[in-house]
Amino acid sequence: MKWKFKTPGIPDKFFIRGNVPMTKEEVRAVTLSKLRLRKDSIMVDVGAGTGSIAIEAAHVCTNGEVIAIEKNSEGIELIKQNSEKFGVYLKILHGNAAECLKEINKFDRVIIGGSGGELEEIIKICYEKLTTEGICVINCITIETLYESMKYLKEIGFSMIDVVSVNVSRGKLVGRYTLMEALNPIYIISGIKTNLL
C-alpha cells in the first residue's frame, strides 16, 4: 500500500501491530513537525517499535536515509513488514541503541522513543553524531523521563529546548452519541545542536 498524501498521520489501523508499542497517529504528526525533516535528511529512530515514525519519515526523506533501531525481535519483524507494506526502504539495526548509534557515522535528525534505561548515554552519542543544527526529539510518557530528557539535553549542550504535552481524545460511538475517549498524554521534547563539542 502506498501512502499517497504529503501530510503525516497515517491512520493507526493501516499498520501491522503485534504486542509492540506504537506511537499514535496524532502524536506522530506533532513529532514529525518537531523533527523539521528535509528530502535529504538522514534520520535515526531509536526504539522504533513498529516503525510507524520511521515509515512516515521515509515518505519525506526520499533523497536521504531513515535508520530504525530496535532491540525487540518482534519489533524488528514488524518494522520489516510495515516498511514492505508501505513500500519504503528503511535501514534496520537490531540491538542495543547506544551500540547501534556508534555504528552510524553522522545524521541530521534523531527521534528517541525508547532508551532502555540508557537515556543519558544515548543523548550524548546523538550529540556527537548529529550534524550542526541537527535536531533531537524525545517522546516519553512519564514525568521522570520528561525531567531527565530536559536535564540531559541542557547539560550535554543542546539549545532551543522545547517541550509540549500532547493530550488527544478520540470520538467513540456509544449508541447514537459520541463519547470522547482520552489516550495517554505524551511529552515531546526537542533540542538543537548549535555548537560542536
Side-chain angles (χ1 to χ4, degrees):
M1 137 177 216
K2 289 280 186 184
W3 181 245
K4 58 186 177 181
F5 305 103
K6 289 294 181 187
T7 50
I10 299 171
D12 294 344
K13 66 183 178 183
F14 291 162
F15 287 94
I16 302 164
R17 301 286 291 272
N19 296 314
V20 177
M22 185 178 84
T23 306
K24 301 296 186 290
E25 63 193 82
E26 297 87 357
V27 175
R28 261 183 275 126
V30 177
T31 300
L32 288 160
S33 77
K34 297 294 182 182
L35 283 164
R36 310 277 191 255
L37 297 170
R38 297 184 304 259
K39 278 188 175 184
D40 62 349
S41 293
I42 299 171
M43 193 208 87
V44 180
D45 185 352
V46 177
T50 60
S52 62
I53 291 178
I55 286 162
E56 295 244 27
H59 282 97
V60 178
C61 307
T62 51
N63 297 332
E65 184 175 42
V66 178
I67 303 161
I69 298 173
E70 177 56 51
K71 67 176 181 180
N72 181 300
S73 297
E74 184 187 359
I76 291 293
E77 286 309 308
L78 288 168
I79 294 165
K80 288 177 183 174
Q81 290 172 26
N82 280 315
S83 62
E84 286 170 14
K85 179 177 182 178
F86 287 98
V88 296
Y89 170 76
L90 300 175
K91 182 176 181 180
I92 303 168
L93 301 179
H94 184 189
N96 171 274
E99 295 307 312
C100 290
L101 281 165
K102 288 173 186 174
E103 295 175 20
I104 305 167
N105 184 26
K106 285 280 182 189
F107 45 88
D108 307 300
R109 304 289 188 265
V110 62
I111 165 67
I112 303 170
S115 64
E118 298 180 310
L119 185 60
E120 184 176 12
E121 185 183 0
I122 289 168
I123 294 173
K124 279 180 182 172
I125 297 167
C126 288
Y127 189 86
E128 292 167 9
K129 300 280 187 170
L130 276 166
T131 54
T132 303
E133 297 188 356
I135 297 173
C136 176
V137 175
I138 303 166
N139 283 4
C140 63
I141 58 172
T142 70
I143 294 168
E144 289 80 8
T145 307
L146 166 64
Y147 168 77
E148 290 174 357
S149 298
M150 295 183 71
K151 177 176 181 279
Y152 298 147
L153 285 170
K154 287 175 188 171
E155 288 177 356
I156 290 164
F158 285 91
S159 60
M160 297 177 69
I161 294 163
D162 179 58
V163 59
V164 295
S165 174
V166 178
N167 297 275
V168 175
S169 294
R170 290 181 179 169
K172 178 183 176 185
L173 203 59
V174 181
R176 60 190 184 94
Y177 298 100
T178 302
L179 174 71
M180 297 309 292
E181 195 168 64
L183 304 177
N184 290 333
I186 304 288
Y187 303 109
I188 301 174
I189 311 102
S190 58
I192 299 176
K193 177 180 177 177
T194 51
N195 36 349
L196 300 170
L197 281 174

